[in-house]
Amino acid sequence: RTIHEADKSTWSRSMIKENAAVLIRGSHDADYVDGYQPPFGSHFIEKTRNSAFLSTKLDEELSGLNVEMIVLCGVFIDGCVGLTAADAAQRDFDVTFLTDCIGHTNQDFRKPIFHWLVDDYSMKAIKVAQLS
């Protein structure tokens, strides 16, 4: 989950350039979406950049648990999900997307980004109904 500090110490270049305060810790903007309940026993990674691997301990935690495959969903394929997937592939994780659980900011980018990640990085793309 992406969280930023109000003092701008964690803000991205575009946030600073546009002076756009988003996902500020403690703000309504950073709250969970109405109706969302984290699954019991969930473990969360707080991040300040699109990739969940950048400046976090996710890689070490997954490696310490001997995780070899990750399944991704969330927002957005043309942001957090896509960049996390690319970074996961660079760290030798097998990646599967739940395509009907991934949003996008630009419909025109959705298909080419999935195509790039699935084809070039040998990732899988399935729908929730295909989970076994």
Side-chain angles (χ1 to χ4, degrees), residues 63-83:
S63 295
L65 294 168
N66 296 315
V67 171
E68 295 178 3
M69 186 205 37
I70 60 174
V71 178
L72 294 176
C73 60
V75 277
F76 299 100
I77 191 62
D78 47 341
C80 298
V81 176
L83 291 171

Side-chain angles (χ1 to χ4, degrees), residues 20 23 30 35 40 42-43 46 53 59 90 102 105 108 117 128 131:
L23 302 172
F40 178 76
S42 296
H43 178 77
E46 275 193 9
F53 288 98
D59 190 16
Q90 296 302 300
I102 298 174
T105 60
D108 294 337
L117 291 168
V128 171
L131 287 173

